Amino acid sequence: MSTPAMITVRGRRTRVRVEGDPANPPMLLLHGIGRSLEDWAPQYPRLAGTHRVIALDLPGSGFSARSPEHATLEVLARGVLETLDILGEQRSLHVIGNSLGGALAMQLLVLDPERIASLVLANSAGFGTEVAFPLRLLAVPVLGDLLGRRTTRRSARMTERLTFADPGLVTTARIEHALAIAGRPDTSTVLLETTRALATFRGVKAGWRAELTAAAAKHPRPTLVIWGDRDRILPAAHLDTARRLLPHAEHELFAGVGHMPQIECPDDFATRVLAFLTTAERATGPSVQSPAASTPRHAASRRRAASP
């Protein structure tokens, strides 16, 4: 299937996109909180030539129905595993997660380590307290409910503007897509449940972060941590924590890039990921990769950012 399709997963409608030769090594793409599989649009043609690429709208996000359970990191991760089962993909996967999707990638490793071949964590949640002020407001009772349940064109534009370093990527198409997602029946409820499970007004909770990263460290896999140095959602300083907690990981810091390097510098992102996977796939098992320098790539070297 080369365009998004709806499948049924444990009685709920789930939106997926699958690209590439089914015989190729499988790759799973996980989006962030309140987002959708469109966040990977520039990467499908770049990655599907060598991998079977699987993306989905997480339960209660995008155009997927929610799980019946309260939305937590583990519930979302189990929903991902159930979707893979329906798609018939039982092989070990390369998992690439952006923002909340990065934390989900680590949660998948903890829940079912044999199904994870490697991790790519792009501007990932789980490595620091700091998070954008609007997300912190969602964690506040009453005020967060008011904000979360009423997405306006102005607030959608503000969210997109926070996401990208380049204001030119805040397109009408992206704003319309955000409004369409916000209009879904369960979007705001799942957004609020997830935010409050993971954060307070003070920032991202330390407890789940420490527990998750410690548990993931017990199952070392080849890992690449990517960040944009102009991220205003989860600051690039979190990369230092990731380096400390995941000493085996490779690192890449893109200059002039915000929260979504897979969109903002799509060619550089894909090139770096595919080079990493080539090395990982040469290994006979889940070997540990050596650290790499985190020198920012000069903004002038980046290729044109992707617009819808």
Side-chain angles (χ1 to χ4, degrees), residues 107-123:
Q107 184 69 67
L108 291 173
L109 176 61
V110 172
L111 289 177
D112 200 344
E114 296 307 311
R115 294 183 80 164
I116 309 304
S118 71
L119 299 175
V120 177
L121 310 176
N123 299 58

Side-chain angles (χ1 to χ4, degrees), residues 127-164:
F127 297 110
T129 302
E130 300 82 3
V131 67
F133 186 65
L135 284 172
R136 290 162 47 202
L137 286 178
L138 291 177
V140 178
V142 183
L143 176 59
D145 291 87
L146 291 172
L147 294 173
R149 299 186 191 283
R150 187 173 181 272
T151 299
T152 64
R153 186 173 299 276
R154 180 179 179 181
S155 64
R157 179 181 296 277
M158 182 186 71
T159 298
E160 297 300 308
R161 186 65 188 89
L162 275 173
T163 299
F164 301 113

